[in-house]
């Protein structure tokens, strides 16, 4: 049995009101060297015992509304791709992609 493991670390620096000021992350197989900085993250994990999704959504004070709109759009596109890859539900994935186009139009995101 292989003991192949990967590690992901996330460090969040908070201000005195517990609002994220900085989000740093690293992973054992991340492209590039060292710790990377980001302004926002969505982390979802499936709890099979409770049949429930655990999630953590964080963004820094510097994250602009325009950046957040783009971040949401790109995340929704990725979710459609993941749905298709994980479940082979091509029709629903296409419906989600249609929604992402609608979302981009309503949010005035240039694709």
């Amino acid at each position: 049995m292989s003991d192949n493991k990967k590690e992901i670390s996330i460090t969040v620096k908070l201000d005195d009101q517990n609002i994220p000021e900085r989000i740093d992350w690293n992973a054992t197989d991340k492209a590039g060297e060292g710790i990377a900085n980001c302004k926002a993250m969505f982390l979802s994990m499936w709890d099979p015992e409770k049949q429930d999704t655990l999630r953590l959504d964080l963004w820094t004070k510097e994250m602009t509304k325009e950046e957040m709109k783009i971040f949401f759009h790109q995340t929704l596109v990725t979710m459609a791709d993941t749905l298709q890859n994980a479940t082979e539900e091509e029709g629903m994935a296409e419906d989600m992609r249609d929604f992402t186009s609608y979302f981009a139009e309503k949010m005035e995101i240039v694709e």
Side-chain angles (χ1 to χ4, degrees), residues 46-106:
W46 180 248
D47 181 336
E49 245 178 66
K50 295 180 182 177
Q51 294 285 295
D52 194 13
T53 301
L54 310 171
R55 55 173 249 245
L56 176 63
D57 305 333
L58 294 175
W59 58 95
T60 64
K61 298 183 219 183
E62 286 75 32
M63 183 79 169
T64 67
K65 287 182 183 180
E66 289 307 310
E67 288 173 319
M68 185 59 86
K69 291 176 187 180
I70 295 166
F71 180 50
F72 258 89
H73 178 256
Q74 291 176 357
T75 301
L76 291 169
V77 170
T78 300
M79 289 175 68
D81 295 342
T82 302
L83 176 68
Q84 184 172 347
N85 290 337
T87 66
E88 300 178 358
E89 292 285 345
E90 189 172 332
M92 186 54 69
E94 281 304 316
D95 288 347
M96 286 181 69
R97 289 184 190 101
D98 289 344
F99 174 75
T100 64
S101 296
Y102 170 80
F103 181 92
E105 179 184 325
K106 291 297 182 182

Short mmCIF file of all heavy atoms in Angstrom, two decimals, residues 46-106:
data_model
loop_
_atom_site.label_atom_id
_atom_site.label_comp_id
_atom_site.label_asym_id
_atom_site.label_seq_id
_atom_site.Cartn_x
_atom_site.Cartn_y
_atom_site.Cartn_z
N TRP A 46 -16.97 17.56 1.85
CA TRP A 46 -18.14 16.71 2.04
C TRP A 46 -17.97 15.86 3.29
O TRP A 46 -16.97 15.16 3.43
CB TRP A 46 -18.34 15.83 0.82
CG TRP A 46 -19.52 14.92 0.94
CD1 TRP A 46 -19.50 13.56 1.04
CD2 TRP A 46 -20.89 15.29 0.95
NE1 TRP A 46 -20.77 13.07 1.14
CE2 TRP A 46 -21.65 14.13 1.08
CE3 TRP A 46 -21.57 16.51 0.89
CZ2 TRP A 46 -23.04 14.12 1.14
CZ3 TRP A 46 -22.94 16.52 0.94
CH2 TRP A 46 -23.66 15.34 1.06
N ASP A 47 -18.95 15.92 4.19
CA ASP A 47 -18.97 15.08 5.38
C ASP A 47 -19.89 13.90 5.09
O ASP A 47 -21.12 14.05 5.07
CB ASP A 47 -19.50 15.89 6.57
CG ASP A 47 -19.53 15.10 7.87
OD1 ASP A 47 -19.58 13.85 7.82
OD2 ASP A 47 -19.52 15.73 8.94
N PRO A 48 -19.32 12.73 4.84
CA PRO A 48 -20.16 11.58 4.46
C PRO A 48 -21.04 11.08 5.59
O PRO A 48 -22.11 10.52 5.34
CB PRO A 48 -19.15 10.52 4.03
CG PRO A 48 -17.88 10.88 4.73
CD PRO A 48 -17.90 12.37 4.88
N GLU A 49 -20.61 11.27 6.82
CA GLU A 49 -21.42 10.83 7.96
C GLU A 49 -22.71 11.63 8.08
O GLU A 49 -23.79 11.09 8.26
CB GLU A 49 -20.62 10.96 9.26
CG GLU A 49 -20.33 9.65 9.93
CD GLU A 49 -19.51 9.84 11.18
OE1 GLU A 49 -20.02 10.44 12.14
OE2 GLU A 49 -18.35 9.39 11.17
N LYS A 50 -22.59 12.93 7.97
CA LYS A 50 -23.75 13.82 8.12
C LYS A 50 -24.44 14.10 6.79
O LYS A 50 -25.48 14.76 6.76
CB LYS A 50 -23.31 15.14 8.75
CG LYS A 50 -22.81 14.98 10.16
CD LYS A 50 -22.40 16.33 10.74
CE LYS A 50 -21.86 16.15 12.15
NZ LYS A 50 -21.40 17.41 12.71
N GLN A 51 -23.82 13.62 5.69
CA GLN A 51 -24.34 13.92 4.35
C GLN A 51 -24.55 15.42 4.20
O GLN A 51 -25.63 15.90 3.82
CB GLN A 51 -25.64 13.15 4.10
CG GLN A 51 -25.46 11.65 4.04
CD GLN A 51 -24.81 11.21 2.75
OE1 GLN A 51 -25.39 11.36 1.68
NE2 GLN A 51 -23.59 10.69 2.83
N ASP A 52 -23.48 16.17 4.50
CA ASP A 52 -23.57 17.62 4.53
C ASP A 52 -22.27 18.23 4.03
O ASP A 52 -21.21 17.63 4.15
CB ASP A 52 -23.84 18.09 5.98
CG ASP A 52 -24.28 19.53 6.06
OD1 ASP A 52 -24.63 20.12 5.03
OD2 ASP A 52 -24.27 20.07 7.18
N THR A 53 -22.37 19.41 3.48
CA THR A 53 -21.20 20.13 3.00
C THR A 53 -20.72 21.09 4.08
O THR A 53 -21.51 21.88 4.61
CB THR A 53 -21.53 20.92 1.72
OG1 THR A 53 -21.98 20.00 0.73
CG2 THR A 53 -20.32 21.68 1.21
N LEU A 54 -19.44 21.00 4.37
CA LEU A 54 -18.80 21.94 5.28
C LEU A 54 -18.11 22.97 4.41
O LEU A 54 -17.50 22.61 3.40
CB LEU A 54 -17.76 21.21 6.14
CG LEU A 54 -18.25 19.94 6.83
CD1 LEU A 54 -17.07 19.21 7.46
CD2 LEU A 54 -19.30 20.29 7.88
N ARG A 55 -18.22 24.23 4.76
CA ARG A 55 -17.59 25.22 3.90
C ARG A 55 -17.00 26.36 4.68
O ARG A 55 -17.40 26.67 5.81
CB ARG A 55 -18.54 25.73 2.86
CG ARG A 55 -19.84 26.32 3.36
CD ARG A 55 -20.57 26.92 2.20
NE ARG A 55 -20.57 28.35 2.38
CZ ARG A 55 -21.67 29.07 2.58
NH1 ARG A 55 -22.83 28.50 2.56
NH2 ARG A 55 -21.58 30.35 2.77
N LEU A 56 -16.02 26.98 4.04
CA LEU A 56 -15.34 28.12 4.61
C LEU A 56 -15.14 29.12 3.47
O LEU A 56 -14.48 28.81 2.48
CB LEU A 56 -13.98 27.68 5.18
CG LEU A 56 -13.08 28.75 5.74
CD1 LEU A 56 -13.72 29.44 6.94
CD2 LEU A 56 -11.74 28.15 6.12
N ASP A 57 -15.74 30.28 3.59
CA ASP A 57 -15.63 31.34 2.59
C ASP A 57 -14.94 32.53 3.24
O ASP A 57 -15.44 33.06 4.24
CB ASP A 57 -17.01 31.79 2.10
CG ASP A 57 -17.85 30.64 1.57
OD1 ASP A 57 -17.27 29.65 1.11
OD2 ASP A 57 -19.08 30.74 1.62
N LEU A 58 -13.81 32.91 2.69
CA LEU A 58 -13.05 34.04 3.25
C LEU A 58 -12.60 34.97 2.14
O LEU A 58 -12.30 34.53 1.03
CB LEU A 58 -11.79 33.53 3.98
CG LEU A 58 -11.97 32.70 5.23
CD1 LEU A 58 -10.61 32.20 5.71
CD2 LEU A 58 -12.66 33.49 6.33
N TRP A 59 -12.56 36.25 2.45
CA TRP A 59 -11.98 37.23 1.55
C TRP A 59 -11.39 38.36 2.37
O TRP A 59 -11.84 38.66 3.46
CB TRP A 59 -12.98 37.74 0.52
CG TRP A 59 -14.20 38.39 1.09
CD1 TRP A 59 -14.40 39.72 1.32
CD2 TRP A 59 -15.41 37.74 1.50
NE1 TRP A 59 -15.65 39.95 1.84
CE2 TRP A 59 -16.29 38.73 1.97
CE3 TRP A 59 -15.83 36.40 1.52
CZ2 TRP A 59 -17.56 38.44 2.44
CZ3 TRP A 59 -17.09 36.13 2.00
CH2 TRP A 59 -17.94 37.13 2.45
N THR A 60 -10.35 38.98 1.82
CA THR A 60 -9.66 40.04 2.55
C THR A 60 -10.35 41.38 2.33
O THR A 60 -11.19 41.53 1.42
CB THR A 60 -8.20 40.17 2.07
OG1 THR A 60 -8.20 40.58 0.70
CG2 THR A 60 -7.44 38.87 2.25
N LYS A 61 -9.97 42.33 3.15
CA LYS A 61 -10.52 43.68 3.04
C LYS A 61 -10.21 44.30 1.68
O LYS A 61 -10.95 45.15 1.20
CB LYS A 61 -9.92 44.59 4.11
CG LYS A 61 -10.21 44.20 5.52
CD LYS A 61 -9.59 45.24 6.43
CE LYS A 61 -8.98 44.62 7.64
NZ LYS A 61 -8.45 45.63 8.56
N GLU A 62 -9.09 43.88 1.06
CA GLU A 62 -8.65 44.47 -0.20
C GLU A 62 -9.38 43.90 -1.42
O GLU A 62 -9.24 44.42 -2.52
CB GLU A 62 -7.14 44.28 -0.38
CG GLU A 62 -6.30 45.19 0.51
CD GLU A 62 -6.27 44.73 1.97
OE1 GLU A 62 -6.34 43.51 2.22
OE2 GLU A 62 -6.22 45.60 2.86
N MET A 63 -10.12 42.83 -1.23
CA MET A 63 -10.84 42.22 -2.36
C MET A 63 -11.93 43.19 -2.80
O MET A 63 -12.83 43.54 -2.02
CB MET A 63 -11.45 40.89 -1.91
CG MET A 63 -12.17 40.13 -2.98
SD MET A 63 -10.99 39.28 -4.02
CE MET A 63 -12.05 38.24 -4.97
N THR A 64 -11.86 43.62 -4.05
CA THR A 64 -12.86 44.57 -4.55
C THR A 64 -14.13 43.83 -4.97
O THR A 64 -14.11 42.62 -5.21
CB THR A 64 -12.32 45.35 -5.77
OG1 THR A 64 -12.16 44.44 -6.86
CG2 THR A 64 -11.01 46.06 -5.45
N LYS A 65 -15.21 44.57 -5.10
CA LYS A 65 -16.46 43.97 -5.57
C LYS A 65 -16.31 43.44 -6.99
O LYS A 65 -16.84 42.37 -7.32
CB LYS A 65 -17.60 44.99 -5.51
CG LYS A 65 -18.05 45.29 -4.11
CD LYS A 65 -19.19 46.27 -4.09
CE LYS A 65 -19.58 46.59 -2.65
NZ LYS A 65 -20.69 47.55 -2.60
N GLU A 66 -15.58 44.15 -7.83
CA GLU A 66 -15.36 43.68 -9.20
C GLU A 66 -14.57 42.38 -9.22
O GLU A 66 -14.90 41.46 -9.97
CB GLU A 66 -14.65 44.76 -10.03
CG GLU A 66 -15.53 45.94 -10.36
CD GLU A 66 -16.85 45.55 -11.01
OE1 GLU A 66 -16.84 44.78 -12.00
OE2 GLU A 66 -17.91 46.02 -10.54
N GLU A 67 -13.54 42.28 -8.38
CA GLU A 67 -12.77 41.05 -8.29
C GLU A 67 -13.65 39.91 -7.77
O GLU A 67 -13.55 38.77 -8.24
CB GLU A 67 -11.56 41.22 -7.37
CG GLU A 67 -10.47 42.08 -7.95
CD GLU A 67 -9.35 42.37 -6.95
OE1 GLU A 67 -9.65 42.65 -5.76
OE2 GLU A 67 -8.19 42.33 -7.37
N MET A 68 -14.52 40.20 -6.82
CA MET A 68 -15.40 39.16 -6.25
C MET A 68 -16.37 38.65 -7.31
O MET A 68 -16.64 37.45 -7.39
CB MET A 68 -16.14 39.69 -5.03
CG MET A 68 -16.98 38.64 -4.33
SD MET A 68 -16.04 37.21 -3.71
CE MET A 68 -15.52 37.82 -2.12
N LYS A 69 -16.89 39.54 -8.14
CA LYS A 69 -17.78 39.11 -9.22
C LYS A 69 -17.06 38.16 -10.17
O LYS A 69 -17.61 37.12 -10.57
CB LYS A 69 -18.30 40.33 -10.00
CG LYS A 69 -19.26 41.19 -9.21
CD LYS A 69 -19.63 42.42 -10.04
CE LYS A 69 -20.46 43.40 -9.26
NZ LYS A 69 -20.81 44.59 -10.07
N ILE A 70 -15.84 38.49 -10.54
CA ILE A 70 -15.06 37.64 -11.43
C ILE A 70 -14.73 36.31 -10.75
O ILE A 70 -14.83 35.24 -11.37
CB ILE A 70 -13.77 38.37 -11.88
CG1 ILE A 70 -14.12 39.59 -12.73
CG2 ILE A 70 -12.84 37.43 -12.63
CD1 ILE A 70 -12.97 40.55 -12.94
N PHE A 71 -14.37 36.38 -9.48
CA PHE A 71 -14.06 35.17 -8.70
C PHE A 71 -15.27 34.24 -8.66
O PHE A 71 -15.15 33.03 -8.89
CB PHE A 71 -13.63 35.59 -7.29
CG PHE A 71 -13.26 34.46 -6.37
CD1 PHE A 71 -12.39 33.46 -6.75
CD2 PHE A 71 -13.79 34.41 -5.08
CE1 PHE A 71 -12.05 32.43 -5.88
CE2 PHE A 71 -13.46 33.39 -4.21
CZ PHE A 71 -12.59 32.40 -4.61
N PHE A 72 -16.45 34.78 -8.38
CA PHE A 72 -17.67 33.97 -8.38
C PHE A 72 -17.91 33.35 -9.75
O PHE A 72 -18.20 32.16 -9.87
CB PHE A 72 -18.89 34.82 -7.99
CG PHE A 72 -19.33 34.64 -6.58
CD1 PHE A 72 -18.81 35.41 -5.57
CD2 PHE A 72 -20.28 33.69 -6.25
CE1 PHE A 72 -19.20 35.24 -4.26
CE2 PHE A 72 -20.70 33.51 -4.95
CZ PHE A 72 -20.15 34.29 -3.95
N HIS A 73 -17.80 34.16 -10.79
CA HIS A 73 -18.03 33.65 -12.15
C HIS A 73 -17.09 32.50 -12.47
O HIS A 73 -17.53 31.44 -12.93
CB HIS A 73 -17.88 34.79 -13.17
CG HIS A 73 -18.05 34.33 -14.56
ND1 HIS A 73 -16.99 34.16 -15.42
CD2 HIS A 73 -19.17 33.97 -15.26
CE1 HIS A 73 -17.44 33.74 -16.58
NE2 HIS A 73 -18.76 33.61 -16.52
N GLN A 74 -15.80 32.70 -12.23
CA GLN A 74 -14.84 31.65 -12.54
C GLN A 74 -15.08 30.40 -11.70
O GLN A 74 -14.92 29.27 -12.19
CB GLN A 74 -13.41 32.17 -12.35
CG GLN A 74 -13.04 33.20 -13.39
CD GLN A 74 -11.68 33.81 -13.16
OE1 GLN A 74 -11.00 33.52 -12.18
NE2 GLN A 74 -11.26 34.67 -14.07
N THR A 75 -15.50 30.58 -10.46
CA THR A 75 -15.80 29.44 -9.59
C THR A 75 -17.01 28.67 -10.11
O THR A 75 -17.01 27.43 -10.14
CB THR A 75 -16.04 29.91 -8.14
OG1 THR A 75 -14.87 30.58 -7.67
CG2 THR A 75 -16.37 28.75 -7.22
N LEU A 76 -18.03 29.38 -10.56
CA LEU A 76 -19.22 28.72 -11.11
C LEU A 76 -18.87 27.94 -12.38
O LEU A 76 -19.35 26.81 -12.57
CB LEU A 76 -20.32 29.74 -11.40
CG LEU A 76 -20.96 30.38 -10.17
CD1 LEU A 76 -21.83 31.57 -10.58
CD2 LEU A 76 -21.75 29.37 -9.37
N VAL A 77 -18.03 28.50 -13.24
CA VAL A 77 -17.60 27.79 -14.45
C VAL A 77 -16.86 26.51 -14.07
O VAL A 77 -17.11 25.44 -14.63
CB VAL A 77 -16.72 28.70 -15.34
CG1 VAL A 77 -16.08 27.90 -16.47
CG2 VAL A 77 -17.54 29.86 -15.89
N THR A 78 -15.97 26.62 -13.10
CA THR A 78 -15.21 25.45 -12.64
C THR A 78 -16.13 24.40 -12.04
O THR A 78 -15.94 23.20 -12.25
CB THR A 78 -14.15 25.89 -11.60
OG1 THR A 78 -13.27 26.82 -12.23
CG2 THR A 78 -13.36 24.71 -11.09
N MET A 79 -17.16 24.84 -11.30
CA MET A 79 -18.10 23.88 -10.71
C MET A 79 -18.85 23.12 -11.80
O MET A 79 -19.10 21.92 -11.65
CB MET A 79 -19.08 24.61 -9.78
CG MET A 79 -18.43 25.09 -8.50
SD MET A 79 -19.56 26.06 -7.49
CE MET A 79 -20.73 24.80 -6.99
N ALA A 80 -19.20 23.77 -12.90
CA ALA A 80 -19.87 23.09 -14.00
C ALA A 80 -18.95 22.02 -14.59
O ALA A 80 -19.38 20.89 -14.86
CB ALA A 80 -20.29 24.09 -15.07
N ASP A 81 -17.68 22.38 -14.78
CA ASP A 81 -16.71 21.40 -15.30
C ASP A 81 -16.55 20.22 -14.34
O ASP A 81 -16.52 19.06 -14.77
CB ASP A 81 -15.35 22.07 -15.52
CG ASP A 81 -15.37 23.13 -16.60
OD1 ASP A 81 -16.32 23.14 -17.42
OD2 ASP A 81 -14.44 23.96 -16.62
N THR A 82 -16.45 20.51 -13.05
CA THR A 82 -16.30 19.45 -12.05
C THR A 82 -17.52 18.55 -12.01
O THR A 82 -17.39 17.32 -11.92
CB THR A 82 -16.02 20.05 -10.67
OG1 THR A 82 -14.84 20.86 -10.74
CG2 THR A 82 -15.83 18.98 -9.61
N LEU A 83 -18.71 19.13 -12.09
CA LEU A 83 -19.94 18.33 -12.11
C LEU A 83 -19.91 17.36 -13.28
O LEU A 83 -20.19 16.16 -13.12
CB LEU A 83 -21.17 19.23 -12.19
CG LEU A 83 -22.50 18.49 -12.32
CD1 LEU A 83 -22.83 17.74 -11.04
CD2 LEU A 83 -23.62 19.44 -12.69
N GLN A 84 -19.54 17.85 -14.45
CA GLN A 84 -19.50 16.97 -15.63
C GLN A 84 -18.45 15.88 -15.46
O GLN A 84 -18.72 14.71 -15.74
CB GLN A 84 -19.21 17.79 -16.88
CG GLN A 84 -19.25 16.95 -18.14
CD GLN A 84 -19.16 17.78 -19.40
OE1 GLN A 84 -19.31 18.99 -19.38
NE2 GLN A 84 -18.93 17.12 -20.52
N ASN A 85 -17.28 16.24 -14.99
CA ASN A 85 -16.21 15.25 -14.82
C ASN A 85 -16.54 14.21 -13.75
O ASN A 85 -16.23 13.03 -13.90
CB ASN A 85 -14.89 15.94 -14.47
CG ASN A 85 -14.33 16.72 -15.63
OD1 ASN A 85 -14.63 16.45 -16.79
ND2 ASN A 85 -13.53 17.72 -15.32
N ALA A 86 -17.19 14.64 -12.67
CA ALA A 86 -17.45 13.73 -11.55
C ALA A 86 -18.69 12.86 -11.75
O ALA A 86 -18.75 11.75 -11.22
CB ALA A 86 -17.58 14.54 -10.25
N THR A 87 -19.68 13.38 -12.47
CA THR A 87 -20.95 12.66 -12.56
C THR A 87 -21.37 12.29 -13.99
O THR A 87 -22.35 11.58 -14.16
CB THR A 87 -22.10 13.51 -11.97
OG1 THR A 87 -22.29 14.68 -12.81
CG2 THR A 87 -21.81 13.92 -10.54
N GLU A 88 -20.65 12.81 -14.97
CA GLU A 88 -20.99 12.62 -16.37
C GLU A 88 -22.36 13.21 -16.72
O GLU A 88 -22.99 12.82 -17.71
CB GLU A 88 -20.90 11.15 -16.78
CG GLU A 88 -19.51 10.58 -16.60
CD GLU A 88 -19.40 9.11 -16.94
OE1 GLU A 88 -20.42 8.48 -17.29
OE2 GLU A 88 -18.28 8.57 -16.84
N GLU A 89 -22.81 14.16 -15.92
CA GLU A 89 -24.09 14.86 -16.16
C GLU A 89 -23.84 16.03 -17.11
O GLU A 89 -23.85 17.20 -16.72
CB GLU A 89 -24.68 15.36 -14.84
CG GLU A 89 -25.14 14.27 -13.91
CD GLU A 89 -26.45 13.64 -14.34
OE1 GLU A 89 -27.16 14.21 -15.19
OE2 GLU A 89 -26.75 12.55 -13.83
N GLU A 90 -23.63 15.70 -18.38
CA GLU A 90 -23.28 16.72 -19.37
C GLU A 90 -24.38 17.76 -19.55
O GLU A 90 -24.11 18.96 -19.66
CB GLU A 90 -22.95 16.05 -20.70
CG GLU A 90 -22.37 17.01 -21.70
CD GLU A 90 -21.87 16.31 -22.96
OE1 GLU A 90 -21.49 15.13 -22.88
OE2 GLU A 90 -21.87 16.96 -24.01
N GLY A 91 -25.64 17.32 -19.58
CA GLY A 91 -26.76 18.24 -19.77
C GLY A 91 -26.85 19.27 -18.66
O GLY A 91 -27.02 20.47 -18.93
N MET A 92 -26.74 18.81 -17.43
CA MET A 92 -26.82 19.75 -16.30
C MET A 92 -25.61 20.66 -16.28
O MET A 92 -25.73 21.86 -15.96
CB MET A 92 -26.94 18.98 -14.98
CG MET A 92 -27.17 19.88 -13.77
SD MET A 92 -28.58 21.01 -13.91
CE MET A 92 -29.94 19.87 -13.85
N ALA A 93 -24.44 20.14 -16.62
CA ALA A 93 -23.24 20.97 -16.68
C ALA A 93 -23.42 22.07 -17.73
O ALA A 93 -23.03 23.22 -17.50
CB ALA A 93 -22.02 20.11 -16.98
N GLU A 94 -24.02 21.72 -18.86
CA GLU A 94 -24.27 22.74 -19.89
C GLU A 94 -25.28 23.77 -19.39
O GLU A 94 -25.14 24.96 -19.68
CB GLU A 94 -24.76 22.09 -21.19
CG GLU A 94 -23.66 21.49 -22.02
CD GLU A 94 -22.56 22.48 -22.37
OE1 GLU A 94 -22.85 23.63 -22.76
OE2 GLU A 94 -21.37 22.10 -22.22
N ASP A 95 -26.30 23.33 -18.66
CA ASP A 95 -27.25 24.27 -18.07
C ASP A 95 -26.53 25.23 -17.11
O ASP A 95 -26.83 26.43 -17.09
CB ASP A 95 -28.36 23.54 -17.32
CG ASP A 95 -29.33 22.83 -18.24
OD1 ASP A 95 -29.32 23.09 -19.47
OD2 ASP A 95 -30.11 21.99 -17.74
N MET A 96 -25.61 24.69 -16.34
CA MET A 96 -24.84 25.55 -15.43
C MET A 96 -23.98 26.54 -16.22
O MET A 96 -23.88 27.71 -15.84
CB MET A 96 -23.95 24.71 -14.51
CG MET A 96 -24.72 23.98 -13.42
SD MET A 96 -23.63 23.03 -12.34
CE MET A 96 -22.74 24.34 -11.48
N ARG A 97 -23.39 26.09 -17.32
CA ARG A 97 -22.59 27.00 -18.15
C ARG A 97 -23.46 28.09 -18.75
O ARG A 97 -23.03 29.24 -18.87
CB ARG A 97 -21.86 26.21 -19.23
CG ARG A 97 -20.74 25.36 -18.67
CD ARG A 97 -19.95 24.64 -19.77
NE ARG A 97 -19.06 23.68 -19.15
CZ ARG A 97 -19.28 22.38 -19.06
NH1 ARG A 97 -20.40 21.85 -19.57
NH2 ARG A 97 -18.42 21.59 -18.48
N ASP A 98 -24.69 27.73 -19.13
CA ASP A 98 -25.63 28.76 -19.61
C ASP A 98 -25.86 29.79 -18.52
O ASP A 98 -25.89 31.00 -18.78
CB ASP A 98 -26.97 28.14 -20.03
CG ASP A 98 -26.87 27.31 -21.31
OD1 ASP A 98 -25.87 27.45 -22.04
OD2 ASP A 98 -27.81 26.52 -21.56
N PHE A 99 -26.05 29.31 -17.29
CA PHE A 99 -26.24 30.24 -16.18
C PHE A 99 -25.02 31.12 -15.97
O PHE A 99 -25.14 32.32 -15.69
CB PHE A 99 -26.58 29.51 -14.87
CG PHE A 99 -26.64 30.44 -13.70
CD1 PHE A 99 -27.72 31.30 -13.54
CD2 PHE A 99 -25.60 30.51 -12.79
CE1 PHE A 99 -27.76 32.20 -12.48
CE2 PHE A 99 -25.62 31.40 -11.73
CZ PHE A 99 -26.72 32.25 -11.58
N THR A 100 -23.82 30.54 -16.11
CA THR A 100 -22.61 31.36 -15.91
C THR A 100 -22.53 32.47 -16.94
O THR A 100 -22.06 33.57 -16.63
CB THR A 100 -21.32 30.52 -15.92
OG1 THR A 100 -21.13 29.93 -17.19
CG2 THR A 100 -21.33 29.46 -14.84
N SER A 101 -23.00 32.22 -18.15
CA SER A 101 -23.05 33.27 -19.17
C SER A 101 -24.04 34.35 -18.77
O SER A 101 -23.76 35.56 -18.89
CB SER A 101 -23.42 32.70 -20.54
OG SER A 101 -22.42 31.81 -20.97
N TYR A 102 -25.20 33.94 -18.29
CA TYR A 102 -26.21 34.88 -17.79
C TYR A 102 -25.65 35.69 -16.62
O TYR A 102 -25.80 36.90 -16.55
CB TYR A 102 -27.46 34.09 -17.37
CG TYR A 102 -28.49 34.88 -16.62
CD1 TYR A 102 -29.38 35.72 -17.30
CD2 TYR A 102 -28.59 34.80 -15.23
CE1 TYR A 102 -30.34 36.45 -16.61
CE2 TYR A 102 -29.54 35.53 -14.54
CZ TYR A 102 -30.41 36.36 -15.23
OH TYR A 102 -31.34 37.08 -14.54
N PHE A 103 -24.99 35.00 -15.70
CA PHE A 103 -24.38 35.64 -14.53
C PHE A 103 -23.38 36.71 -14.97
O PHE A 103 -23.39 37.84 -14.48
CB PHE A 103 -23.70 34.57 -13.66
CG PHE A 103 -23.05 35.08 -12.41
CD1 PHE A 103 -23.75 35.11 -11.22
CD2 PHE A 103 -21.74 35.53 -12.41
CE1 PHE A 103 -23.17 35.58 -10.06
CE2 PHE A 103 -21.13 36.00 -11.25
CZ PHE A 103 -21.86 36.02 -10.07
N ALA A 104 -22.51 36.34 -15.93
CA ALA A 104 -21.49 37.27 -16.42
C ALA A 104 -22.14 38.49 -17.06
O ALA A 104 -21.70 39.64 -16.83
CB ALA A 104 -20.57 36.58 -17.42
N GLU A 105 -23.21 38.27 -17.82
CA GLU A 105 -23.90 39.37 -18.45
C GLU A 105 -24.53 40.31 -17.41
O GLU A 105 -24.35 41.52 -17.47
CB GLU A 105 -25.00 38.82 -19.38
CG GLU A 105 -25.81 39.89 -20.08
CD GLU A 105 -26.93 39.28 -20.89
OE1 GLU A 105 -26.76 38.19 -21.46
OE2 GLU A 105 -28.00 39.94 -20.96
N LYS A 106 -25.23 39.74 -16.44
CA LYS A 106 -25.89 40.55 -15.41
C LYS A 106 -24.89 41.28 -14.51
O LYS A 106 -25.17 42.38 -14.03
CB LYS A 106 -26.83 39.69 -14.55
CG LYS A 106 -28.03 39.19 -15.28
CD LYS A 106 -28.89 40.35 -15.72
CE LYS A 106 -30.14 39.87 -16.42
NZ LYS A 106 -30.97 40.96 -16.89
#
